[in-house]
């Protein structure tokens, strides 16, 4: 027996994020959450996840994974788990299912260290853009957000951070390794070239 369908949670979270997220969150926006929701569905299918409950838990975790930004910038994963624990019983989720969802949310914390197949899927979905054609436009939204929050102060610092992050990042699923890794490495070389021009 599955709890309430994804659509009811989806509607709830979209409304919650639309109303509550700071406009300064140019990267950690509703659009990012919806992108991760879409990518977990695609990756789960490619990875052979056929259990409807597992797919539901993945999708709901994707919807909740950045809700913590409504409360805090640091440690937002813990805050997102708090929202899930408070709200999901009303949608018919059991404590065991909510525990799995919180495990999935916590797995997205950087540096990512997934321990299960489902955690690998949500980790890859969260950073899917690293190996996609929209890497630079999405990166620009993160740069603006980092400037706003004082994480970087100029473009050179941003590119240094990107190089460090791309060099340390790993995709976990077969799908993402096959479809995203090559492009990610090209992006790394392009950012390095940018950095060399800035020096």
């Amino acid at each position: 027996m599955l709890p309430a369908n994804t659509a009811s949670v989806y509607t709830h979270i979209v409304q919650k994020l639309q109303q509550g997220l700071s406009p300064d969150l140019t990267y950690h926006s509703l659009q990012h959450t919806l992108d991760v929701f879409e990518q977990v569905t695609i990756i789960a299918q490619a990875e052979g996840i056929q259990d409807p409950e597992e797919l539901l838990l993945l999708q709901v975790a994707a919807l909740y994974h950045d809700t913590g930004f409504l409360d805090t910038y640091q440690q937002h994963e813990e805050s997102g788990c708090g929202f899930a624990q408070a709200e999901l019983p009303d949608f018919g989720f059991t404590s065991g299912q909510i525990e799995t969802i919180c495990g999935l949310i916590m797995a997205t914390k950087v540096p990512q260290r997934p321990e299960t197949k489902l955690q690998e899927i949500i980790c890859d979905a969260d950073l899917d853009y690293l190996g996609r054609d929209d890497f630079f436009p999405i990166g620009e939204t993160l740069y603006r957000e980092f400037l706003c929050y004082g994480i970087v102060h100029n473009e050179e610092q941003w590119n240094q951070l990107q190089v460090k992050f791309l060099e340390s990042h790993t995709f976990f699923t077969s799908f993402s390794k096959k479809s995203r890794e090559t492009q990610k490495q090209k992006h790394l070389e392009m950012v390095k070239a940018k950095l060399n021009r800035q020096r």
Side-chain angles (χ1 to χ4, degrees):
M1 174 75 179
L2 290 175
N5 64 23
T6 317
S8 51
V9 183
Y10 184 97
T11 303
H12 167 69
I13 291 296
V14 167
Q15 197 171 22
K16 191 179 179 80
L17 296 180
Q18 274 176 336
Q19 291 171 353
L21 281 180
S22 164
D24 294 334
L25 294 164
T26 45
Y27 172 80
H28 291 104
S29 60
L30 172 61
Q31 192 175 350
H32 168 69
T33 292
L34 298 183
D35 182 46
V36 177
F37 176 84
E38 186 181 341
Q39 298 314 322
V40 289
T41 310
I42 291 167
I43 299 170
Q45 190 174 13
E47 291 291 310
I49 300 297
Q50 293 178 331
D51 182 341
E53 184 181 359
E54 287 189 326
L55 182 59
L56 176 73
L57 297 181
L58 264 175
Q59 289 176 329
V60 170
L63 290 169
Y64 272 91
H65 89 284
D66 277 349
T67 52
F69 281 104
L70 292 160
D71 268 352
T72 179
Y73 202 84
Q74 306 298 333
Q75 312 299 322
H76 68 272
E77 294 90 358
E78 286 85 348
S79 183
C81 285
F83 281 120
Q85 287 160 345
E87 296 173 2
L88 287 175
D90 292 341
F91 290 97
F93 286 81
T94 66
S95 56
Q97 289 169 329
I98 294 168
E99 193 179 330
T100 300
I101 287 165
C102 286
L104 291 166
I105 293 169
M106 293 306 299
T108 64
K109 195 180 182 100
V110 174
Q112 297 175 329
R113 293 193 185 93
E115 294 174 359
T116 67
K117 182 72 171 173
L118 296 186
Q119 289 179 7
E120 288 181 350
I121 291 169
I122 197 169
C123 284
D124 284 356
D126 194 21
L127 294 171
D128 186 71
Y129 86 98
L130 296 179
R132 286 196 324 233
D133 291 342
D134 54 1
F135 169 77
F136 285 105
I138 289 179
E140 183 63 26
T141 68
L142 187 56
Y143 174 46
R144 291 206 311 273
E145 182 175 307
F146 278 7
L147 280 174
C148 188
Y149 286 89
I151 295 165
V152 298
H153 300 287
N154 55 52
E155 198 177 344
E156 187 176 348
Q157 283 182 357
W158 161 243
N159 285 326
Q160 286 170 342
L161 194 64
Q162 285 212 97
V163 168
K164 191 176 169 187
F165 187 74
L166 287 165
E167 285 181 338
S168 65
H169 172 265
T170 305
F171 282 119
F172 301 101
T173 62
S174 300
F175 170 83
S176 297
K177 284 175 181 170
K178 273 190 284 201
S179 64
R180 299 289 186 250
E181 184 62 34
T182 303
Q183 190 71 12
K184 184 187 85 176
Q185 293 303 326
K186 286 179 185 168
H187 292 147
L188 172 59
E189 293 313 311
M190 289 162 84
V191 177
K192 280 181 175 175
K194 269 188 175 186
L195 200 51
N196 287 335
R197 289 196 298 272
Q198 287 168 333
R199 286 174 174 158

